Amino acid sequence: MTVQEIAKQFATKGNIDEVKTHGGGHINDSYHMINATASEPDYLLQRVNHHVFKDVPLLMNNLSIVTDHVQAKIKKDFPDDVERRCLTIIPTTDGQSFFKDPEGNYWRVLRFIEDHLVFDSTSDPAIAYEGAKTFGAFTVMLNDLPANKVGTVIPDFHNMKWRLTQLKESIRKDVAGRLKEVKKEVDYVDTRSKLMLTVHELGEKGAIPLRVTHNDTKISNVLYDTNKKGLCVIDLDTIQPGYVTSDFGDGIRTLTNTGEEDDDNLDRVTMDVELFEAFASGFLDSTRDILSDTEKDALLYGGLLFPYMQAVRFLIDYLDGDTYYKVKHPEHNLVRARAQFKLTQDGESKFEELKMIIKNLS
Ligand code: GN1
Ligand code: MG
């Protein structure tokens, strides 16, 4: 089936005259459905990667629960703006939340949010603050949705202990014969593992609660309005039970990096303290009243953990022969891993300074 034919399976309004590739996630494929009828919205058609998301019906059920819950909250403050401030699922013509094509691919359609801005990175603290405030507001809206109301989409997704076990497995198998190139990185993982298990241990002890968390809070997953005010949190696929440190940590990882996620010049990769402070300030301005003191103290560890965990994940995929992330060239996962390790190192070198920032904002 062509994407045009797939687009026709959904109960969209108006007349769709063009379906074109959209955006650049590492996992799903997205298409913008352009409406020729001016009074009707555009849509976003997405193929959900069922190799990564093994239970798409469960994922879509989570998406329905969370969008219903969040929309009900937004309706109180912004009754006329709900569809710009929260994703809306468009059902198929027979009322399902997704369409499975004859080849076994899963598709869904969301309402396209018009007139938005999106930032893959920024050096502007005001944008950092707004993005964090928007993610924090999302955390707050989900505060009264018990964690067990949503299913686990990817087991152990942000479980650092399990990621270390997975790395050991990949080292042992060395299927792509690449282990010899990454000895230095493997040693570094070992030296930092104790510190990086802090969040895991707090969770195991029950010192920080499971919440409904987003789990992919990179800054490009916030849409802004044209005045650069936070509008909507997107990419809700990884929503599942998790710790608040995930949503703080991935924001810090993507936002404070002065280089690229896959920068091959490690001198460019540092953790920007001003952006860290802006992000922490926005996040805590939203969440200050709902987080416990232990959760607030744990945020810093989340900020250091996420570059490290992402580096380990890229390293695993490099050792496994690039089976998970889309890569542009054979060394891509290694370059990514090295950049994320550099970010971890730089963040850790600023530990005391970052700790004071969180303490003062808490
Ligand atoms: C993947 O596809 P994308 O870019 O939204 C990954 C995240 C990583 C991110 C790294 C399901 O997200 O966990 O942090 O790449 N998503 C999944 O850029 O593994
Ligand atoms: Mg994502």
Side-chain angles (χ1 to χ4, degrees), residues 346-360:
D346 192 65
E348 211 187 324
S349 75
K350 295 168 179 164
F351 187 89
E352 289 306 326
E353 196 179 352
L354 304 180
K355 193 172 174 182
M356 277 313 287
I357 289 173
I358 303 245
K359 188 166 179 279
N360 291 335

Side-chain angles (χ1 to χ4, degrees), residues 24-28 52-53 153-154 157-158 163 215-218 220-221 235 237-238 250 253-254 261 306 310 313-314 324-326 336 340:
H26 293 344
I27 307 283
N28 294 332
V52 169
F53 299 111
V153 176
I154 304 182
F157 189 45
H158 285 167
R163 294 290 180 191
N215 302 312
D216 193 12
T217 51
K218 51 186 182 191
S220 57
N221 279 340
D235 191 359
D237 296 332
T238 46
D250 226 16
R253 177 182 80 81
T254 55
E261 181 179 70
F306 273 73
Q310 192 62 59
R313 293 174 61 193
F314 285 143
Y324 190 90
Y325 296 104
K326 295 177 192 165
R336 285 168 170 156
Q340 296 298 305

Side-chain angles (χ1 to χ4, degrees), residues 114-130:
E114 307 282 346
D115 302 324
H116 68 257
L117 302 175
V118 60
F119 302 95
D120 286 326
S121 64
T122 182
S123 52
D124 181 352
I127 289 172
Y129 176 87
E130 270 298 315

Side-chain angles (χ1 to χ4, degrees), residues 77 99 109 118 122 210 277 286 304 313 320:
D77 292 335
F99 171 70
V109 167
V118 60
T122 182
L210 281 174
E277 181 158 17
S286 288
L304 299 177
R313 293 174 61 193
D320 292 352

